[in-house]
Amino acid sequence: MPALACCVDPAALFPPGGYALAAGDISLQPPVTFSDDWSPSLSSTLYKVDGWGAPYFAVNSSSGNITVRPHGSDTMSHQEIDLLKIVKKASDPKSLGGLGLPLPLIVRFPDVLKNRLESLQSAFDYAIESRGYESHYQGVYPVKCNQDRFIVEDIVSFGSSFRFGLEAGSKPELLLAMNSLCKGSPEAFLVCNGFKDSEYITLALVARKLALNTVIVLEQEEELDLVIEMSNKLCIRPVIGLRAKLRTKHGGHFGSTSGEKGKFGLTTAQILKVVKKLEQVGMLDCLQLLHFHIGSQIPSTTLLADGVGEAAQIYCELVHLGAQMGVIDVGGGLGIDYDGSKSVESDISVGYTLEEYAAAVVDAVLRVCDSKLVKHPVICSESGRAMVSHHSVLIFEAMAASACAAPALSTLGLQHLVEGLSEEASADYHNLSAAAMRGDYETCLLYIDQLKQKCVEQFKQGTLGMKQLAAVDGLCDLVGKAIGANDPVRTYHVNLSVFTSIPDFWGIEQMFPIVPIHRLDEKPTVRGILSDLTCDSDGKIDKFIGGETSLPLHELEGGHGSGRYYLGMFLGGAYQEALGGVHNLFGGPSVVRVLQSDGPHGFAVTRAVPGPSCGDVLRVVQHEPELMFETLKHQAEKFSDDDGNSVAALATFLARLFNNMPYLVASSHDMNTMNNRSKNNNGFYYCSSDDDYNAAIADSASGVEEEEQWSFCSA
């Protein structure tokens, strides 16, 4: 007997003139997706953690939580950091020893950043030494990837011993780069890219006057006139670079800036004109660097070597024309493997390692320079994505889950529905019943769709009531469950703004690994998509690595501690913070900076700061929170009927709301943890050990009940 028919009473299924499918009789469940036996290693495979996460992230085999390996492959077992413990330390109330930071939360790991920097340098050092290359590698970090002060300062500090520098693309970026490099190596490059006016060029020349190793890269031919004019006016000799517009083109999603029609760069004809003009004004010796950019996320070393080889030919030609060349800047493009597939065909993966990338660059430059009898140049790269992506993890919480469940269908409701059907709809109903008896599931789907459409039309015409329409949904859901045709995907509502924190997903469909950071020793029993707090329908995540349109997840309810369910987005340290805005006036997340520690907790929080408050984001769009507060308080006084107690209570509530983050809070107790944002160095906690960290926590807890930040809020 067909599977559907065996779940109902055959005698009652199609009685003459009856109502066929008996409500409540069908009991088939959607097919089970995952094995009943489960382990953390199965979770690691399911979420591909070993692919995209190595060597920095793993699933702990005993706790079932995501752990961070801050020193990469050199991390010892006792140095691994439990990500859930960091979240609890950051988000627990101050009265319980936490920092009281609301979620969402960015956790930064400077140790990972240091390891990425050292790994890149080591890869180039090995390639250079093993091939007999007669110069060195000297990279720069493009600050546009993430301009956060502490990230930039960490890179300058960690890279000082191997002359690692910075790249800027605007005047404010140049200012912050100048400031940071004052504490770096005097040999570190300060590469000035982007569109330039006289003010930008003057600032770059001043940087050179301040003994910073500044290179002004010409993106357009017209910029040369400004460089000549301002350098003569200030009597500062510039170092000039050229950005070449190569013929080599990156054909992937991130390759639009490459090729002859790219946004930036000079053609070969323009390069020759620049050389001629510099020669005429006696400044050809200032031309010392050649820069190019194939595109972000270069998928293969074959494409990379092709572009570097073309650029090396231009470099050698410039040497032969008399320029005092010394540096070839291969630009950005060093990709990372977002999905763990190591595929050269994917826009979110790459088919090479750091070592293979460095080897391809060195080999291409070496081959061309040796063939042209040109001295080997210093090799520079502007690797931003590959430097900062891994060191930052975005943590957010699922607050609720919902599914489109149709109402339960009763026998009486089914009878009432059938009696109201039109002749055409009634025919579809009986055809559906017959198909169900035959086990013809494809025909069932056809008649389900036709029946629902006809009933909707009847409802619009007023010949079918709302209860009958609901019964149709119940009937279709009943049949769909029985034949396994229902969509089992749930919507998980998360405390996040996609537009603010993951803008690349919304804007260019860039996918990032998203994984529950705990409960990975349990079998995920449902699949879900993620819906954010914003009122836009685009505020959802419904595409995941591996080509999946839903994510394996766990049930929210049940005895799991506080019942909270935390998810992490990984490899998002580049661009997301820089691109995010204040859509729906949701500001950025809270941030903690975490170092590996040999203390009892395995880590120390060296900096913590809550995300922008409601007042902060209102100021961004030109509102004045203090005046808004006074207006609302005056309105409350105007319409209050009592002795003023309710006005004082409302004023206190409003003051707290202006001062709290815009995101959801789990309870009223958690709301009170942020009342004292101005204490403790404006929410910044500096410590170098667990003892200092615990002292900072104790100090912060002692001030929880102190007076509000706004003096006029004490009414």
Side-chain angles (χ1 to χ4, degrees), residues 87-301:
V87 174
K88 287 185 63 62
K89 177 63 72 175
S91 62
D92 276 354
K94 294 176 182 177
S95 59
L96 299 179
L99 293 174
L101 295 177
L103 268 63
L105 175 73
I106 287 178
V107 185
R108 294 201 178 111
F109 296 95
D111 292 317
V112 172
L113 186 60
K114 184 173 186 286
N115 184 267
R116 292 297 293 174
L117 200 63
E118 291 174 345
S119 297
L120 178 64
Q121 184 70 38
S122 176
F124 270 101
D125 287 347
Y126 176 78
I128 286 170
E129 182 179 356
S130 62
R131 287 156 175 79
Y133 190 86
E134 296 175 355
S135 189
H136 65 274
Y137 169 75
Q138 197 171 324
V140 297
Y141 167 65
V143 298
K144 67 181 179 183
C145 288
N146 196 322
Q147 300 98 337
D148 180 84
R149 168 190 164 191
F150 297 96
I151 293 175
V152 176
E153 289 182 354
D154 278 342
I155 288 174
V156 171
S157 175
F158 298 153
S160 180
S161 61
F162 33 85
R163 301 165 287 198
F164 211 87
L166 300 174
E167 180 267 349
S170 68
K171 284 176 275 191
E173 286 186 352
L174 181 51
L175 285 168
L176 75 86
M178 290 168 61
N179 176 71
S180 299
L181 285 175
C182 284
K183 300 178 182 178
S185 167
E187 297 178 68
F189 291 129
L190 173 50
V191 177
C192 301
N193 288 332
F195 286 105
K196 304 171 190 69
D197 58 9
S198 59
E199 197 171 56
Y200 185 130
I201 291 168
T202 298
L203 182 60
L205 291 169
V206 167
R208 187 142 195 89
K209 185 72 172 179
L210 298 178
L212 298 175
N213 192 8
T214 310
V215 183
I216 301 173
V217 177
L218 303 179
E219 306 274 10
Q220 302 178 95
E221 185 183 352
E222 296 78 13
E223 291 173 353
L224 178 59
D225 292 331
L226 286 175
V227 172
I228 294 171
E229 177 188 351
M230 300 313 299
S231 63
N232 288 334
K233 185 178 294 186
L234 297 172
C235 298
I236 300 173
R237 196 78 170 170
V239 172
I240 299 173
L242 292 173
R243 177 164 175 169
K245 191 174 287 187
L246 302 185
R247 266 72 168 184
T248 303
K249 183 170 176 58
H250 171 6
H253 179 79
F254 296 98
S256 62
T257 56
S258 63
E260 294 180 271
K261 295 184 179 180
K263 178 179 178 182
F264 291 116
L266 307 179
T267 64
T268 51
Q270 290 174 316
I271 290 174
L272 291 172
K273 288 172 67 176
V274 166
V275 169
K276 184 177 181 180
K277 182 173 288 190
L278 286 172
E279 191 173 26
Q280 289 172 345
V281 297
M283 294 177 63
L284 187 55
D285 62 304
C286 296
L287 181 55
Q288 299 179 18
L289 178 146
L290 177 71
H291 170 48
F292 67 93
H293 180 64
I294 301 174
S296 189
Q297 279 287 109
I298 298 173
S300 69
T301 54

Side-chain angles (χ1 to χ4, degrees), residues 9 34 140 167 170 237 393 460 518 537 631:
D9 180 0
F34 309 111
V140 297
E167 180 267 349
S170 68
R237 196 78 170 170
V393 181
K460 292 178 179 179
H518 60 141
S537 58
T631 298

Side-chain angles (χ1 to χ4, degrees), residues 553-693:
L553 296 169
H554 305 83
E555 294 278 4
L556 294 186
E557 65 275 9
H560 303 287
S562 65
R564 294 187 168 183
Y565 191 53
Y566 298 109
L567 297 139
M569 186 202 80
F570 297 80
L571 309 187
Y575 295 109
Q576 302 317 295
E577 292 176 68
L579 293 174
V582 287
H583 184 272
N584 266 176
L585 296 189
F586 287 109
S590 302
V591 179
V592 292
R593 184 176 184 270
V594 176
L595 286 173
Q596 185 267 321
S597 167
D598 291 332
H601 301 295
F603 66 90
V605 176
T606 60
R607 179 176 176 81
V609 58
S613 68
C614 292
D616 293 333
V617 294
L618 285 166
R619 288 187 190 94
V620 171
V621 288
Q622 309 304 311
H623 294 277
E624 300 183 44
E626 292 81 3
L627 296 180
M628 294 167 66
F629 171 83
E630 291 291 359
T631 298
L632 293 170
K633 181 181 174 185
H634 176 72
Q635 192 79 349
E637 292 169 345
K638 185 176 177 181
F639 291 98
S640 176
D641 295 328
D642 63 11
D643 57 2
N645 290 332
S646 63
V647 174
L650 178 60
T652 300
F653 168 74
L654 288 172
R656 288 176 176 174
L657 197 58
F658 274 111
N659 204 37
N660 283 350
M661 284 176 66
Y663 293 92
L664 300 181
V665 291
S667 68
S668 58
H669 175 78
D670 291 339
M671 284 181 64
N672 295 330
T673 64
M674 292 309 298
N675 292 343
N676 198 26
R677 289 166 55 101
S678 64
K679 314 302 179 186
N680 305 303
N681 282 333
N682 288 323
F684 301 156
Y685 299 81
Y686 297 95
C687 46
S688 56
S689 68
D690 287 335
D691 291 338
D692 292 337
Y693 174 80

Side-chain angles (χ1 to χ4, degrees), residues 212-530:
L212 298 175
N213 192 8
T214 310
V215 183
I216 301 173
V217 177
L218 303 179
E219 306 274 10
Q220 302 178 95
E221 185 183 352
E222 296 78 13
E223 291 173 353
L224 178 59
D225 292 331
L226 286 175
V227 172
I228 294 171
E229 177 188 351
M230 300 313 299
S231 63
N232 288 334
K233 185 178 294 186
L234 297 172
C235 298
I236 300 173
R237 196 78 170 170
V239 172
I240 299 173
L242 292 173
R243 177 164 175 169
K245 191 174 287 187
L246 302 185
R247 266 72 168 184
T248 303
K249 183 170 176 58
H250 171 6
H253 179 79
F254 296 98
S256 62
T257 56
S258 63
E260 294 180 271
K261 295 184 179 180
K263 178 179 178 182
F264 291 116
L266 307 179
T267 64
T268 51
Q270 290 174 316
I271 290 174
L272 291 172
K273 288 172 67 176
V274 166
V275 169
K276 184 177 181 180
K277 182 173 288 190
L278 286 172
E279 191 173 26
Q280 289 172 345
V281 297
M283 294 177 63
L284 187 55
D285 62 304
C286 296
L287 181 55
Q288 299 179 18
L289 178 146
L290 177 71
H291 170 48
F292 67 93
H293 180 64
I294 301 174
S296 189
Q297 279 287 109
I298 298 173
S300 69
T301 54
T302 301
L303 175 62
L304 173 68
D306 191 27
V308 174
E310 181 186 350
Q313 295 286 355
I314 298 174
Y315 178 91
C316 292
E317 290 291 327
L318 290 171
V319 171
H320 292 152
L321 288 170
Q324 299 298 304
M325 303 298 290
V327 184
I328 185 167
D329 180 350
V330 301
L334 173 54
I336 63 170
D337 192 358
Y338 287 100
D339 63 4
S341 66
K342 298 184 171 49
S343 168
V344 299
E345 305 298 328
S346 172
D347 285 331
I348 60 171
S349 183
V350 293
Y352 53 82
T353 63
L354 284 179
E355 291 75 19
E356 290 166 340
Y357 172 88
V361 172
V362 173
D363 284 339
V365 177
L366 180 67
R367 175 180 55 81
V368 174
C369 288
D370 283 353
S371 69
K372 298 287 187 177
L373 302 178
V374 169
K375 182 180 177 182
H376 298 166
V378 173
I379 295 176
C380 176
S381 74
E382 302 176 5
S383 303
R385 184 190 301 268
M387 288 299 93
V388 298
S389 291
H390 298 77
H391 96 290
S392 177
V393 181
L394 173 66
I395 307 295
F396 51 95
E397 183 179 1
M399 309 297 285
S402 62
C404 296
L409 179 64
S410 66
T411 302
L412 185 61
L414 181 60
Q415 178 178 350
H416 185 52
L417 165 65
V418 175
E419 290 173 347
L421 292 179
S422 66
E423 184 176 343
E424 294 85 357
S426 180
D428 285 333
Y429 172 75
H430 285 285
N431 288 331
L432 170 62
S433 300
M437 280 297 291
R438 297 193 307 270
D440 187 349
Y441 295 165
E442 289 189 10
T443 304
C444 280
L445 291 174
L446 172 66
Y447 286 116
I448 283 176
D449 187 54
Q450 290 184 187
L451 177 61
K452 181 173 282 190
Q453 289 183 29
K454 288 184 173 66
C455 290
V456 169
E457 288 301 318
Q458 279 192 250
F459 178 75
K460 292 178 179 179
Q461 295 166 6
T463 59
L464 201 67
M466 187 179 295
K467 290 183 178 179
Q468 291 170 303
L469 190 63
V472 174
D473 292 334
L475 173 63
C476 294
D477 185 65
L478 192 69
V479 176
K481 283 182 180 178
I483 66 177
N486 279 15
D487 184 3
V489 175
R490 299 187 188 179
T491 298
Y492 276 60
H493 303 289
V494 295
N495 197 14
L496 183 75
S497 164
V498 169
F499 305 92
T500 297
S501 294
I502 322 178
D504 270 349
F505 176 82
W506 167 72
I508 60 173
E509 297 187 344
Q510 167 72 48
M511 281 178 281
F512 299 89
I514 297 177
V515 183
I517 67 167
H518 60 141
R519 295 178 58 184
L520 297 176
D521 53 347
E522 303 174 31
K523 179 183 69 174
T525 55
V526 296
R527 300 194 74 98
I529 63 171
L530 309 179

